[in-house]
Amino acid sequence: MTSHQQGPKDATQFTKDVNRAMAAGLPFDHRAAYLQVRTGLITQVEDLVIGDPAAPVWSLTAYMDQMGLPPPTCPDTVNPSLWRMATLNSIAGLFRVVDGVYQVRAFDMSNMTIVEGDTGIIIIDPLISTECAEAALTLYRTNRPERAGAPVKAVIYTHSHVDHFGGVRGVVSDEDYRAGRVEILAPVGFLEHAASENVYAGTAMGRRAQYMYGPYLERGHRGQVDCGLGKNQSTGTISLLAPTIDITTTGQEVTIDGVTIVFQLTPGTEAPSEMNFYFPRYRALCAAENATHNMHNVQTLRGARVRDALDWSKYLNQAANLFGGEAEVLFAQHHWPVWGKDEIAYFLRQQRDLYRYLNDQTLRMLNKGYTGIEIAETFVMPPGLDQDWSCRGYYGSVSHNVKAVYDRYMGWFDGNPSVLHALPATQSAAKYVEAMGGTAAVIERARTATARGEYRWVAELLSHVVFADPACREAVQLQADALEQLGYQAENATWRNFYLMGAQELRAGSVQSHTAKTSPDMIGQLTVDMVFDLLGSQLDGPRAAAKHLTMNWYFTDTQQQYVVEISNGALSSTEGKQVLRSDVTVLLERSALDQILLGERTLIQVMQEGRMEVTRGVKDFFWFFQLIDQSDPDFPIVTPRVPALPDMSAPPQRGEPSEDEIKHRRWRIVPALLRGC
């Protein structure tokens, strides 16, 4: 697509009116959160920069105009409700939750919590990046000099999203971990989900995450202002240390450094593997990411399996019954705590009802025959939830959560056979434009709708022109303007980022991502079965279908053996088996395969290093690697790709790489780890 450079514009009068109308309908006179977010503040860091100032892994300097009390006036280009949350998320520093429990906030997207034991400390969720975790721990030690030398006795991962474990090597040394001086606690299934949840579709999810979080948007009133759960995501080093203690049952108790912890498993809520837990010594309940000061995602916009809103609600109800009568403070790993038994009971009840209402009322309406889009268009939360700031949609939204619930029960198909075999956008777009009288006629209709402030319709209408004729500059600019105004109106931070990233793509072309490497810690936690599943997902099926291939793989360092079979274009693997007359026999180190998939070593390098030997079927082995396709981490989202859709009915015609080229090729099969929730 041709690049058309154009900067962000001001809010139109229609956008100003929409935002003022929203502000008039919300309880902005309820300002308790501005006091609560500063409760226990020990030290605030306003000009926070972590890492090289020229290329920091984390910085709040671009958000300094959001800081202050009373909060700064909301600009016209930001939804006033989102601006409220953005200003609350801008306060960085060390906070006392209760004596013995402290939080470092806004040193990354998530919080790091420090619990003091008899002689050491317990760290909950060491952020995304090691650099940020190390800086957060230093802030704690500096401002708690009496505990400055207290060793880290344990790390608790609340769940399997990277913003809750990735910085672990910033607070735990390899020496202490190997010596068993530090315990790592996590819910059962953590390691599998942490390593695999986003691997198979990781490239596509990673691309969508760039639009969801807006890392390539300029920070400011016309760009990225917040992510709903926090300011943004750090870009430092991701690490992982495997758990030493699995939490397998609700009610399980573990004592670390004299501190007893009572756990509640909550699988399938905000993450596939997640848990809440309670500290009787401090009467403090950690709600992980199951109860934060906003509506969360039932299905995240970056892409993920649909979460279970019904179970989510039930686990919150269970937490209230298990700990609500004792806890005097509830803290989560985003946002700020809730103090007082009555306040905690109310907060958990509201969060419980939020997800239950979304689930049950969507079910009620779909059983009347309404589709997900139809339900979402008219769905309104009851006043008791709609007027509660902690239930507003800064990260999840009523609209896309309703569609997620519908999808969980009914799937993508709405039952109308006209959409059962619908044309893809690049084919239908041209027909729509033709049916509406051609490009000029559609643009004229779009201009008329723009003059009425009908930006949703303008964006939808012009999408057909852009996909039919991406070189039509007028359509591209008009659609970008419409998406931008929708972004300015969005209460949801991730919606805003998606709209503004879409406008940026239209104006400047598809953004080229600067994808960080996946941590070797992460690829090393994939089982061999998962590695072969990953290879299967990258196999060029139409080409592979031309041949049947059986391979024996033997991993010399782990003594694992596998039969890998390619048949009908599909890859299957069987553990603990070898066949007598295989086409290929491979002896290799597991670590060598990991480095090949990460692009750190080529086939010829690991062969020359003596870490891999192909004792039978060398040509077939290289034929197999010729079939491993490369993903595209920079694909466009609001504009058509070129070429459009490949013809999978026949093997694609392409020049085959030579055996020598395959030996020296660097693959990046494993996608960069997502930093999203």
PDB file of all heavy atoms in Angstrom, residues 5 7 24 92 99 124 128 132 180 182 211 330 343 377 410 422 491 500 528 557 663:
ATOM      1  N   GLN A   5       1.715  10.107   4.353  1.00  0.00           N
ATOM      2  CA  GLN A   5       2.072  10.667   5.651  1.00  0.00           C
ATOM      3  C   GLN A   5       1.087  11.767   6.030  1.00  0.00           C
ATOM      4  O   GLN A   5       0.826  12.678   5.258  1.00  0.00           O
ATOM      5  CB  GLN A   5       3.499  11.219   5.606  1.00  0.00           C
ATOM      6  CG  GLN A   5       4.570  10.154   5.441  1.00  0.00           C
ATOM      7  CD  GLN A   5       4.752   9.308   6.688  1.00  0.00           C
ATOM      8  OE1 GLN A   5       4.261   9.646   7.747  1.00  0.00           O
ATOM      9  NE2 GLN A   5       5.453   8.203   6.550  1.00  0.00           N
ATOM     10  N   GLY A   7      -0.313  13.612   9.936  1.00  0.00           N
ATOM     11  CA  GLY A   7      -0.293  13.542  11.384  1.00  0.00           C
ATOM     12  C   GLY A   7      -1.680  13.473  11.986  1.00  0.00           C
ATOM     13  O   GLY A   7      -2.682  13.667  11.301  1.00  0.00           O
ATOM     14  N   ALA A  24     -21.204  13.359  31.471  1.00  0.00           N
ATOM     15  CA  ALA A  24     -22.401  13.788  32.194  1.00  0.00           C
ATOM     16  C   ALA A  24     -23.144  12.615  32.820  1.00  0.00           C
ATOM     17  O   ALA A  24     -23.892  12.793  33.793  1.00  0.00           O
ATOM     18  CB  ALA A  24     -23.330  14.550  31.244  1.00  0.00           C
ATOM     19  N   ALA A  92       3.619   6.345  40.167  1.00  0.00           N
ATOM     20  CA  ALA A  92       4.637   5.313  40.332  1.00  0.00           C
ATOM     21  C   ALA A  92       5.356   5.485  41.655  1.00  0.00           C
ATOM     22  O   ALA A  92       5.632   6.608  42.087  1.00  0.00           O
ATOM     23  CB  ALA A  92       5.642   5.387  39.188  1.00  0.00           C
ATOM     24  N   ASP A  99       1.376  -2.985  57.216  1.00  0.00           N
ATOM     25  CA  ASP A  99       2.711  -3.274  57.745  1.00  0.00           C
ATOM     26  C   ASP A  99       3.105  -4.701  57.355  1.00  0.00           C
ATOM     27  O   ASP A  99       2.399  -5.665  57.675  1.00  0.00           O
ATOM     28  CB  ASP A  99       2.723  -3.128  59.273  1.00  0.00           C
ATOM     29  CG  ASP A  99       2.694  -1.677  59.711  1.00  0.00           C
ATOM     30  OD1 ASP A  99       3.091  -0.808  58.914  1.00  0.00           O
ATOM     31  OD2 ASP A  99       2.259  -1.400  60.849  1.00  0.00           O
ATOM     32  N   ILE A 124       5.830 -11.293  44.967  1.00  0.00           N
ATOM     33  CA  ILE A 124       4.694 -11.735  44.166  1.00  0.00           C
ATOM     34  C   ILE A 124       4.760 -11.028  42.816  1.00  0.00           C
ATOM     35  O   ILE A 124       4.753  -9.795  42.750  1.00  0.00           O
ATOM     36  CB  ILE A 124       3.352 -11.420  44.849  1.00  0.00           C
ATOM     37  CG1 ILE A 124       3.304 -12.033  46.255  1.00  0.00           C
ATOM     38  CG2 ILE A 124       2.189 -11.925  44.012  1.00  0.00           C
ATOM     39  CD1 ILE A 124       2.109 -11.569  47.069  1.00  0.00           C
ATOM     40  N   ILE A 128       7.357  -7.771  34.003  1.00  0.00           N
ATOM     41  CA  ILE A 128       7.640  -8.362  32.689  1.00  0.00           C
ATOM     42  C   ILE A 128       9.131  -8.559  32.482  1.00  0.00           C
ATOM     43  O   ILE A 128       9.577  -9.596  32.013  1.00  0.00           O
ATOM     44  CB  ILE A 128       7.097  -7.465  31.552  1.00  0.00           C
ATOM     45  CG1 ILE A 128       5.573  -7.393  31.583  1.00  0.00           C
ATOM     46  CG2 ILE A 128       7.572  -7.968  30.192  1.00  0.00           C
ATOM     47  CD1 ILE A 128       4.991  -6.451  30.535  1.00  0.00           C
ATOM     48  N   CYS A 132      13.185  -4.066  35.031  1.00  0.00           N
ATOM     49  CA  CYS A 132      12.152  -3.402  35.832  1.00  0.00           C
ATOM     50  C   CYS A 132      12.031  -4.047  37.206  1.00  0.00           C
ATOM     51  O   CYS A 132      11.853  -3.352  38.221  1.00  0.00           O
ATOM     52  CB  CYS A 132      10.814  -3.447  35.110  1.00  0.00           C
ATOM     53  SG  CYS A 132      10.788  -2.475  33.583  1.00  0.00           S
ATOM     54  N   GLY A 180      18.674 -23.947  45.945  1.00  0.00           N
ATOM     55  CA  GLY A 180      17.436 -24.193  46.683  1.00  0.00           C
ATOM     56  C   GLY A 180      17.165 -23.182  47.775  1.00  0.00           C
ATOM     57  O   GLY A 180      16.345 -23.438  48.668  1.00  0.00           O
ATOM     58  N   VAL A 182      15.784 -20.338  47.233  1.00  0.00           N
ATOM     59  CA  VAL A 182      14.578 -19.604  46.845  1.00  0.00           C
ATOM     60  C   VAL A 182      13.552 -20.595  46.312  1.00  0.00           C
ATOM     61  O   VAL A 182      13.865 -21.406  45.429  1.00  0.00           O
ATOM     62  CB  VAL A 182      14.882 -18.551  45.756  1.00  0.00           C
ATOM     63  CG1 VAL A 182      13.610 -17.811  45.367  1.00  0.00           C
ATOM     64  CG2 VAL A 182      15.936 -17.567  46.234  1.00  0.00           C
ATOM     65  N   TYR A 211      -1.222  -3.617  18.055  1.00  0.00           N
ATOM     66  CA  TYR A 211      -2.341  -2.698  17.864  1.00  0.00           C
ATOM     67  C   TYR A 211      -3.102  -2.503  19.175  1.00  0.00           C
ATOM     68  O   TYR A 211      -3.633  -1.428  19.443  1.00  0.00           O
ATOM     69  CB  TYR A 211      -3.275  -3.223  16.775  1.00  0.00           C
ATOM     70  CG  TYR A 211      -2.756  -2.970  15.368  1.00  0.00           C
ATOM     71  CD1 TYR A 211      -1.558  -3.528  14.944  1.00  0.00           C
ATOM     72  CD2 TYR A 211      -3.449  -2.174  14.481  1.00  0.00           C
ATOM     73  CE1 TYR A 211      -1.056  -3.298  13.670  1.00  0.00           C
ATOM     74  CE2 TYR A 211      -2.968  -1.928  13.193  1.00  0.00           C
ATOM     75  CZ  TYR A 211      -1.764  -2.497  12.804  1.00  0.00           C
ATOM     76  OH  TYR A 211      -1.271  -2.256  11.541  1.00  0.00           O
ATOM     77  N   LEU A 330      -7.537  -6.169  50.412  1.00  0.00           N
ATOM     78  CA  LEU A 330      -7.460  -6.955  49.180  1.00  0.00           C
ATOM     79  C   LEU A 330      -6.567  -6.191  48.214  1.00  0.00           C
ATOM     80  O   LEU A 330      -6.789  -5.004  47.954  1.00  0.00           O
ATOM     81  CB  LEU A 330      -8.843  -7.145  48.576  1.00  0.00           C
ATOM     82  CG  LEU A 330      -8.947  -7.924  47.247  1.00  0.00           C
ATOM     83  CD1 LEU A 330     -10.301  -8.634  47.145  1.00  0.00           C
ATOM     84  CD2 LEU A 330      -8.761  -7.029  46.015  1.00  0.00           C
ATOM     85  N   GLU A 343     -15.799  -3.070  52.625  1.00  0.00           N
ATOM     86  CA  GLU A 343     -15.425  -2.610  51.288  1.00  0.00           C
ATOM     87  C   GLU A 343     -14.961  -3.777  50.419  1.00  0.00           C
ATOM     88  O   GLU A 343     -15.276  -3.846  49.225  1.00  0.00           O
ATOM     89  CB  GLU A 343     -14.332  -1.547  51.387  1.00  0.00           C
ATOM     90  CG  GLU A 343     -14.787  -0.215  51.956  1.00  0.00           C
ATOM     91  CD  GLU A 343     -14.969  -0.229  53.463  1.00  0.00           C
ATOM     92  OE1 GLU A 343     -14.599  -1.246  54.115  1.00  0.00           O
ATOM     93  OE2 GLU A 343     -15.477   0.760  54.013  1.00  0.00           O
ATOM     94  N   GLU A 377     -24.894  -4.782  20.713  1.00  0.00           N
ATOM     95  CA  GLU A 377     -25.325  -3.433  20.334  1.00  0.00           C
ATOM     96  C   GLU A 377     -26.316  -2.839  21.327  1.00  0.00           C
ATOM     97  O   GLU A 377     -26.372  -1.618  21.502  1.00  0.00           O
ATOM     98  CB  GLU A 377     -25.947  -3.475  18.929  1.00  0.00           C
ATOM     99  CG  GLU A 377     -26.244  -2.120  18.333  1.00  0.00           C
ATOM    100  CD  GLU A 377     -24.992  -1.293  18.080  1.00  0.00           C
ATOM    101  OE1 GLU A 377     -23.886  -1.865  18.029  1.00  0.00           O
ATOM    102  OE2 GLU A 377     -25.131  -0.060  17.923  1.00  0.00           O
ATOM    103  N   MET A 410     -21.608 -20.557  21.290  1.00  0.00           N
ATOM    104  CA  MET A 410     -22.189 -20.783  19.966  1.00  0.00           C
ATOM    105  C   MET A 410     -21.174 -20.827  18.834  1.00  0.00           C
ATOM    106  O   MET A 410     -21.506 -21.239  17.725  1.00  0.00           O
ATOM    107  CB  MET A 410     -23.219 -19.671  19.657  1.00  0.00           C
ATOM    108  CG  MET A 410     -24.340 -19.568  20.682  1.00  0.00           C
ATOM    109  SD  MET A 410     -25.374 -21.043  20.758  1.00  0.00           S
ATOM    110  CE  MET A 410     -26.236 -20.931  19.196  1.00  0.00           C
ATOM    111  N   ALA A 422     -19.120 -16.916   3.338  1.00  0.00           N
ATOM    112  CA  ALA A 422     -18.999 -15.534   2.871  1.00  0.00           C
ATOM    113  C   ALA A 422     -17.690 -15.329   2.127  1.00  0.00           C
ATOM    114  O   ALA A 422     -16.690 -16.009   2.372  1.00  0.00           O
ATOM    115  CB  ALA A 422     -19.082 -14.576   4.060  1.00  0.00           C
ATOM    116  N   GLU A 491     -13.720   4.717  25.514  1.00  0.00           N
ATOM    117  CA  GLU A 491     -13.428   4.597  26.941  1.00  0.00           C
ATOM    118  C   GLU A 491     -12.404   3.494  27.177  1.00  0.00           C
ATOM    119  O   GLU A 491     -11.593   3.572  28.100  1.00  0.00           O
ATOM    120  CB  GLU A 491     -14.708   4.292  27.712  1.00  0.00           C
ATOM    121  CG  GLU A 491     -14.499   4.122  29.200  1.00  0.00           C
ATOM    122  CD  GLU A 491     -15.773   3.752  29.939  1.00  0.00           C
ATOM    123  OE1 GLU A 491     -16.679   3.160  29.309  1.00  0.00           O
ATOM    124  OE2 GLU A 491     -15.871   4.052  31.147  1.00  0.00           O
ATOM    125  N   LEU A 500      -6.358   3.969  16.779  1.00  0.00           N
ATOM    126  CA  LEU A 500      -5.282   4.891  16.408  1.00  0.00           C
ATOM    127  C   LEU A 500      -4.169   4.182  15.629  1.00  0.00           C
ATOM    128  O   LEU A 500      -3.561   4.777  14.735  1.00  0.00           O
ATOM    129  CB  LEU A 500      -4.722   5.572  17.660  1.00  0.00           C
ATOM    130  CG  LEU A 500      -5.718   6.452  18.429  1.00  0.00           C
ATOM    131  CD1 LEU A 500      -5.011   7.191  19.559  1.00  0.00           C
ATOM    132  CD2 LEU A 500      -6.430   7.438  17.503  1.00  0.00           C
ATOM    133  N   VAL A 528       9.049 -31.678  24.101  1.00  0.00           N
ATOM    134  CA  VAL A 528       9.383 -32.044  22.726  1.00  0.00           C
ATOM    135  C   VAL A 528       8.097 -32.210  21.904  1.00  0.00           C
ATOM    136  O   VAL A 528       8.045 -31.833  20.727  1.00  0.00           O
ATOM    137  CB  VAL A 528      10.237 -33.325  22.693  1.00  0.00           C
ATOM    138  CG1 VAL A 528      10.489 -33.768  21.251  1.00  0.00           C
ATOM    139  CG2 VAL A 528      11.560 -33.100  23.421  1.00  0.00           C
ATOM    140  N   ASP A 557      20.913 -35.699  24.734  1.00  0.00           N
ATOM    141  CA  ASP A 557      21.105 -35.158  26.084  1.00  0.00           C
ATOM    142  C   ASP A 557      19.960 -35.531  27.016  1.00  0.00           C
ATOM    143  O   ASP A 557      20.129 -35.624  28.223  1.00  0.00           O
ATOM    144  CB  ASP A 557      21.298 -33.639  26.052  1.00  0.00           C
ATOM    145  CG  ASP A 557      20.256 -32.929  25.202  1.00  0.00           C
ATOM    146  OD1 ASP A 557      19.467 -33.612  24.512  1.00  0.00           O
ATOM    147  OD2 ASP A 557      20.241 -31.680  25.222  1.00  0.00           O
ATOM    148  N   LYS A 663      21.062 -25.514   4.865  1.00  0.00           N
ATOM    149  CA  LYS A 663      22.038 -25.709   5.946  1.00  0.00           C
ATOM    150  C   LYS A 663      22.363 -24.402   6.662  1.00  0.00           C
ATOM    151  O   LYS A 663      22.591 -24.379   7.868  1.00  0.00           O
ATOM    152  CB  LYS A 663      23.327 -26.308   5.382  1.00  0.00           C
ATOM    153  CG  LYS A 663      23.255 -27.759   4.966  1.00  0.00           C
ATOM    154  CD  LYS A 663      24.605 -28.213   4.425  1.00  0.00           C
ATOM    155  CE  LYS A 663      24.572 -29.661   3.948  1.00  0.00           C
ATOM    156  NZ  LYS A 663      25.886 -30.073   3.401  1.00  0.00           N
TER     157      LYS A 663
END
